Amino acid sequence: MWVRVLPGVLVSTGIQINKISHEDWMHRALKLAMQAFNADEVPVGCIIVHDNKIIGQGYNQCESLNDATAHAEMIAITSASSTLDNWRLNECAIYVTKEPCSMCAGAIVNSRIDKLYFGCYDEESGACGSSLRFVEVLLLLL
């Protein structure tokens, strides 16, 4: 089940959603984005939640680590997988401040994350509805 949460807009396909907790999770992701901003990185933050607990988090660190794959989502997925001692992140939700790119969207699908929430579209390289519909294509193939 994929859900997009944008400021003031809630799109769902019939799930009961506690809007306050979603806003709280996104607020935590925004705090991580501020850490990225303060480190002169692209300001993106991400958390992964399982059973109402944060099990992984990250913010963009491409510049500081000299690593093109050090996106917030990739770091959070690695952290969550370590926490659960499992690469399959079933029954998890990911909250990211900006629409994931194709690399991160692929990692989200491959790690079996159930729900995706993002704060804003990325018209240039977003892969979850704005410039690409990468996630929808991958889900059709599964």
Side-chain angles (χ1 to χ4, degrees):
M1 181 74 49
W2 295 86
V3 181
R4 291 183 205 123
V5 178
L6 303 172
V9 178
L10 183 62
V11 179
S12 115
T13 56
I15 311 176
Q16 277 295 5
I17 293 180
N18 179 347
K19 189 173 181 183
I20 294 170
S21 102
H22 289 292
E23 289 174 1
D24 181 53
W25 296 131
M26 189 59 74
H27 182 72
R28 290 174 188 235
L30 284 166
K31 284 183 178 180
L32 290 166
M34 285 303 299
Q35 285 184 275
F37 178 80
N38 291 336
D40 291 326
E41 299 279 354
V42 175
V44 178
C46 179
I47 64 166
I48 298 177
V49 176
H50 182 260
D51 289 336
N52 271 334
K53 294 179 190 145
I54 296 175
I55 60 165
Q57 63 182 19
Y59 59 88
N60 275 7
Q61 297 179 54
C62 295
E63 299 299 328
S64 58
L65 297 177
N66 289 315
D67 182 354
T69 67
H71 290 198
E73 300 94 326
M74 303 297 281
I75 293 168
I77 288 169
T78 300
S79 175
S81 295
S82 180
T83 299
L84 293 182
D85 197 26
N86 193 339
W87 66 268
R88 294 174 191 88
L89 300 177
N90 297 319
E91 300 175 6
C92 291
I94 188 168
Y95 293 81
V96 61
T97 56
K98 183 176 163 187
E99 179 182 11
C101 68
S102 58
M103 174 184 67
C104 294
I108 290 166
V109 170
N110 285 335
S111 63
R112 315 294 197 265
I113 292 174
D114 290 342
K115 297 175 189 79
L116 164 64
Y117 302 90
F118 59 86
C120 66
Y121 285 102
D122 179 357
E123 296 299 326
E124 285 183 25
S125 59
C128 300
S130 60
S131 67
L132 299 171
R133 295 189 179 272
F134 188 74
V135 170
E136 293 172 21
V137 171
L138 283 177
L139 291 174
L140 288 174
L141 296 174
L142 294 179

